Amino acid sequence: MRGFVAILRRELFAYFVTPLAWVMMAAFLLLEGFFFFLLVLNYASQQEVVSDAGPVEAFFGQTILLYLPLLLVCPLLTMRSFAEERRSGTIEALLTAPVSSTAVVLGKYLASVLTYAALWAPTGLYMVVLSRYGDVDWRIVGTGYSAILLVGAGYLAIGTLSSALTTSQLTAAVVTSVTVLLLFAFGIGEFALDPGPARELCSYASVWSMMNDFSRGLVDSRRLVWCATVILLPLFVSVRTVESWRWG
Amino acid sequence: MIEVRALHKWYGDFHAVDDLSFEVARGEVVGFLGPNGAGKSTTLRIVAGFLGASSGDVLIDGLSVVDDPIEARARIGYMPESCPLYVEMRVVEYLRFRAELKGVPRATRKAAVERAMGDAGLDGYEATIIGQLSKGYRQRVGIADALVASPPLLLLDEPTAGLDPNQIREVRDLVKRLSASHTILVSTHILSEVEATCTRGVVIARGKLVASGSLDELRALRRADTVRLRLRGDTRAARAELEGLDGVERVEPEPHAIEGQERLRLVLTDADRCDEIVERAVKRLAELEVGVLEVVPLGSLEDVFSKLTEGDTPTASTEATPRARGREVRTRQRTKRAP
């Protein structure tokens, strides 16, 4: 893993020295803040109190609001990573340094995950604010953020692979969005299909149900296996792709 | 230091590198010559470990770039052709990143970057954003990058391409200075560059080895077998006189625009006697009271180069094995085109 730390640092530098990360963070927080406002308003106006539903639970699942920013943010964060280097030729300098392909892929990937986490970090303040006016179950907050990190990490892995497959950032972003949408739609099959093996398969892969579970504090190991698959498979293919350039 | 053995590279149907073998010994500065599209960059990319070969082997210090890629690459300071850099970084940030990437320990990193910047002539540009540098300075950053981890071997792919004459001279001086402490393989399509900086040359064309040898041996290849004269006066008589001269095979007129003058090409029977034949010719022309305005031996290294690398296929190979050997000049003779 020689060179991993250097690549990670340089990628984080690239995110935060260009306006990209900051612009995204501003837009993202604006959107999330608005969603949170809507949720709190909604629950505040409700007469009846349901035990496992509240603004915190709804923030981490059960509504479509969670997935919109994910769909926007993940492709944008990863589209650059390989596509830009290959277009500008800097990949040649990178790959002729004494570093392994695994270090290159993981360095870039982890930088995107950390940036993604940095986008979400300020939303922790929402929970702090909420806790001053009501009860917040911090275990739910914990599982909620873990789930967001896991799902995002999967999408970012898909994005990293897309970026490695093309020299155009735009193509990479589009391929990522389409793949993520298809994955999401596949999970929705859980509600659309008749009972049977196909439906069962869909329910295992359902992001919707996963977020619902985690936002209620339910951590199911089958979900974790699914997340690990969505993270590791694209990363593995990315490493092979980077290796394959040497033979192109 | 570098051993290239029977290297082949195919891009689809295109045979970019065709059975190329050569060696670079420790301490040598070798010019890697060839016209554009000859396969120089492809070869250097393979040596640097960026591209895989279709077949054949490259050893760096005895380490295969395929089996031992990381150790082999650690011995190389490579500057790619277009010198790609991260334009959003400052010079010093970029070089520190490269030093870290190449495994320069934290304790010596700062000093290594400073030394590389000094060697490449970048003092005072530490805080400049790379995107704002001119082409010449970007090239220097590329060279500093190649130097930063103090590798024993430098691979420079066309380090003077696109530079102005002053910058070209600076790069040449730099290569000369570096040659004291490094083994260098520098590619170029300009022969005079090799003359200026290298101890040996390897010439390729269309992916094949065409000639290799020490600079003196390459120079020996450039003996003039044709001389161009610009004359004024009774050029008809001059032509007749020259045609009768011993050692002149034939005389050919060249197109020339100035009235009362003529340009002739003297094709010599024996390039070794060039000086002597020219001396006699000029003496005779003076006796005829023909003004000799210009005498140009057309055997410059450039001509040898174009002759070696011109499109016609080799008619005979002087040696069966294409393996480059030490100081021996091997030239695949090509059909001499009628000048």
Side-chain angles (χ1 to χ4, degrees), chain A residues 153-247:
Chain A
Y155 290 175
L156 292 169
I158 292 168
T160 303
L161 174 60
S162 312
S163 185
L165 293 176
T166 167
T167 53
S168 151
Q169 296 193 39
L170 192 65
T171 312
V174 170
V175 169
T176 312
S177 304
V178 170
T179 313
V180 165
L181 270 178
L182 285 177
L183 265 181
F184 187 78
F186 184 70
I188 294 301
E190 179 185 18
F191 304 105
L193 295 175
D194 293 327
R199 177 169 157 173
E200 201 147 317
L201 195 69
C202 289
S203 80
Y204 281 128
S206 172
V207 184
W208 184 274
S209 298
M210 170 179 164
M211 290 310 299
N212 282 359
D213 285 359
F214 275 72
S215 70
R216 289 194 186 89
L218 286 172
V219 179
D220 186 337
S221 58
R222 285 173 301 185
R223 305 285 185 207
L224 296 180
V225 171
W226 167 249
C227 285
T229 311
V230 176
I231 293 170
L232 295 177
L233 193 66
L235 288 182
F236 173 74
V237 180
S238 301
V239 172
R240 305 314 292 177
T241 306
V242 171
E243 300 260 294
S244 78
W245 294 336
R246 298 188 196 278
W247 306 103

Side-chain angles (χ1 to χ4, degrees), chain A residues 60 66 70 116 140-153 207 210-215 218 224 227:
Chain A
F60 291 120
L66 171 74
L70 278 190
Y116 172 79
I140 298 269
V141 173
T143 53
Y145 274 118
S146 314
I148 277 181
L149 200 63
L150 282 172
V151 170
V207 184
M210 170 179 164
M211 290 310 299
N212 282 359
D213 285 359
F214 275 72
S215 70
L218 286 172
L224 296 180
C227 285

Side-chain angles (χ1 to χ4, degrees), chain B residues 81-335:
Chain B
E81 185 175 11
S82 51
C83 201
L85 303 164
Y86 295 120
V87 288
E88 75 274 17
M89 294 180 106
R90 293 175 196 282
V91 172
V92 73
E93 287 165 348
Y94 178 72
L95 291 175
R96 283 205 191 127
F97 158 65
R98 296 292 298 177
E100 188 183 354
L101 199 64
K102 293 175 179 184
V104 177
R106 181 186 290 269
T108 56
R109 209 174 291 153
K110 192 159 178 273
V113 168
E114 274 170 15
R115 181 185 42 74
M117 288 187 63
D119 284 347
L122 278 167
D123 288 324
Y125 285 87
E126 288 81 358
T128 312
I129 292 169
I130 290 173
Q132 296 170 351
L133 287 174
S134 67
K135 169 99 177 130
Y137 275 92
R138 284 188 199 202
Q139 210 90 340
R140 291 182 190 200
V141 176
I143 292 176
D145 171 21
L147 291 173
V148 76
S150 316
L153 173 64
L154 295 178
L155 297 179
L156 308 175
D157 197 355
E158 308 228 357
T160 57
L163 301 185
D164 69 33
N166 282 331
Q167 294 168 326
I168 288 178
R169 203 177 52 234
E170 283 166 10
V171 170
R172 284 179 183 173
D173 290 345
L174 176 62
V175 170
K176 259 187 206 160
R177 260 185 287 133
L178 294 173
S179 64
S181 47
H182 295 80
T183 307
I184 304 176
L185 180 61
V186 53
S187 89
T188 173
H189 60 271
I190 305 158
L191 263 173
S192 52
E193 199 139 305
V194 176
E195 287 200 297
T197 51
C198 302
T199 53
R200 200 158 70 79
V202 172
V203 185
I204 69 166
R206 301 189 162 189
K208 287 184 178 152
L209 188 76
V210 178
S212 100
S214 75
L215 213 54
D216 284 338
E217 286 163 322
L218 282 185
R219 275 201 198 101
L221 288 175
R222 76 166 182 181
R223 299 160 310 176
D225 60 359
T226 308
V227 178
R228 192 172 65 208
L229 299 174
R230 188 152 63 91
L231 306 176
R232 191 176 57 193
D234 187 359
T235 51
R236 280 173 67 106
R239 233 178 117 169
E241 183 67 34
L242 291 170
E243 268 165 354
L245 210 62
D246 173 41
V248 174
E249 195 180 298
R250 61 182 185 278
V251 179
E252 294 164 348
E254 267 194 9
H256 192 53
I258 302 174
E259 187 118 358
Q261 295 187 4
E262 194 170 13
R263 270 206 310 206
L264 298 175
R265 248 172 200 267
L266 247 52
V267 181
L268 310 180
T269 52
D270 186 355
D272 288 338
R273 290 168 57 207
C274 175
D275 291 353
E276 176 237 316
I277 297 167
V278 168
E279 211 179 319
R280 268 190 293 125
V282 172
K283 212 177 272 173
R284 299 302 294 273
L285 290 171
E287 283 166 19
L288 284 172
E289 299 202 339
V290 172
V292 179
L293 306 174
E294 193 180 84
V295 180
V296 184
L298 294 182
S300 71
L301 210 40
E302 255 70 23
D303 292 317
V304 177
F305 183 48
S306 57
K307 220 180 287 167
L308 287 172
T309 57
E310 243 159 30
D312 40 6
T313 48
T315 49
S317 171
T318 49
E319 248 179 74
T321 66
R323 179 72 51 88
R325 258 184 248 138
R327 309 187 46 78
E328 193 175 23
V329 172
R330 296 166 317 96
T331 311
R332 294 197 170 176
Q333 294 294 339
R334 284 161 184 275
T335 41

